[in-house]
Amino acid sequence: MSLSPAALAARRVFAAASHSSHEGGARTWKILTIVLAFPGVAVCMANAYMKMQAHSHEQPEFVPYPHLRIRTKRFPWGDGNHSLFHNTHTNALPDGYESSHH
Amino acid sequence: MAHQAHAYHMVDPSPWPLTGAIAALLMTSGLAVWFHFHSTTLMILGTILLLLTMFQWWRDVVREGTFQGHHTPPVQKGLRYGMILFITSEVFFFLGFFWAFYHSSLAPTPELGGCWPPTGITTLDPFEVPLLNTAVLLASGVTVTWAHHSIMEGERKQAIQSLALTIALGFYFTFLQAMEYYEAPFTIADGVYGSTFFVATGFHGLHVIIGSMFLAVCLLRQIHFHFTSEHHFGFEAAAWYWHFVDVVWLFLYISIYWWGS
């Protein structure tokens, strides 16, 4: 099975890391940071951004399910009816959405 | 002048265990007072006392080890055991929340619609920000390993760079997760789905913040020449804790975000 040049380089680097005791270890992980870690994060950033743009901005329809939006005890802040990270657009209250669809 | 005839550390009397215990008492009773009597004074007092205790106790440990030479090899071995046992206890702490999640999600009750995710819950797409969060934490695992090797090889500048990068990635994760919390279409009050999601990921996020603070202290100590290439246990403990935080996230991602969606 033929490997890509990048995979071949990575295999060489890992072999060196396993053989060297303390020499070159920092260099190996620095290379891994630049070659693997940062591009990985960059690709995931681009992917997440593009997927977010492709979303529709519809508010999900409000159905007053009894198993959701539990209010057995009031929250100890504000009017006791809003969660800590309450978002008027995406989080409905037990009676329904506060804001109408933007 | 008397010298000890052993390699162990007989610690000087300290007030911090007492202030720590008082802080724990004030925080817990303060929480109850807040819930029932709507006053946050006791809880805030307890929190301030806790922060002061942590700062002064750990400052004393640094003084004893780095400046007074009390951290001989057997003492360091004890510190290693201690950190390993602490992280093990944290593993069990998270195990409980995973138990709760699987208990509720493997056999969803009729009240939820007999399905998981429960009826009416719009889950987060695991391949959007959660995947990015996974990449960020994995990357920080690579950078913290780079930092460790740099310290061992006496590469001062690289150690500072890689440690700073690790902390930056930790902050980026926290920022992304805070955004997710605000944008999520469900809240903690949305039945057992909301409870398990926010308690498990919430405690994880708290541990990310704690781990980032631990690494930040290590960065400051590295800048001030506290670590040698042979002796840097404070950093190793922080790195162990950071890897633990990373592993917990991987389990959270696979279980709650991916399987649970």
Side-chain angles (χ1 to χ4, degrees), chain B residues 100-153:
Chain B
F101 169 73
Y102 278 111
H103 173 97
S104 300
S105 58
L106 284 168
T109 62
E111 288 88 344
L112 304 174
C115 54
W116 194 276
T119 313
I121 291 282
T122 320
T123 60
L124 301 171
D125 184 346
F127 299 110
E128 282 188 32
V129 174
L131 184 62
L132 172 57
N133 271 342
T134 306
V136 167
L137 282 186
L138 288 174
S140 72
V142 174
T143 53
V144 83
T145 310
W146 174 20
H148 191 195
H149 283 270
S150 303
I151 291 173
M152 289 193 290
E153 289 169 28

Side-chain angles (χ1 to χ4, degrees), chain B residues 25 100 204 216 240 255:
Chain B
L25 174 66
H204 173 261
W240 290 351
S255 307

Side-chain angles (χ1 to χ4, degrees), chain B residues 16 19 46-58:
Chain B
W16 313 132
T19 61
T47 311
I48 291 171
L49 191 55
L50 179 72
L51 291 169
L52 284 172
T53 301
M54 293 194 296
F55 175 72
Q56 290 174 110
W57 193 334
W58 285 323

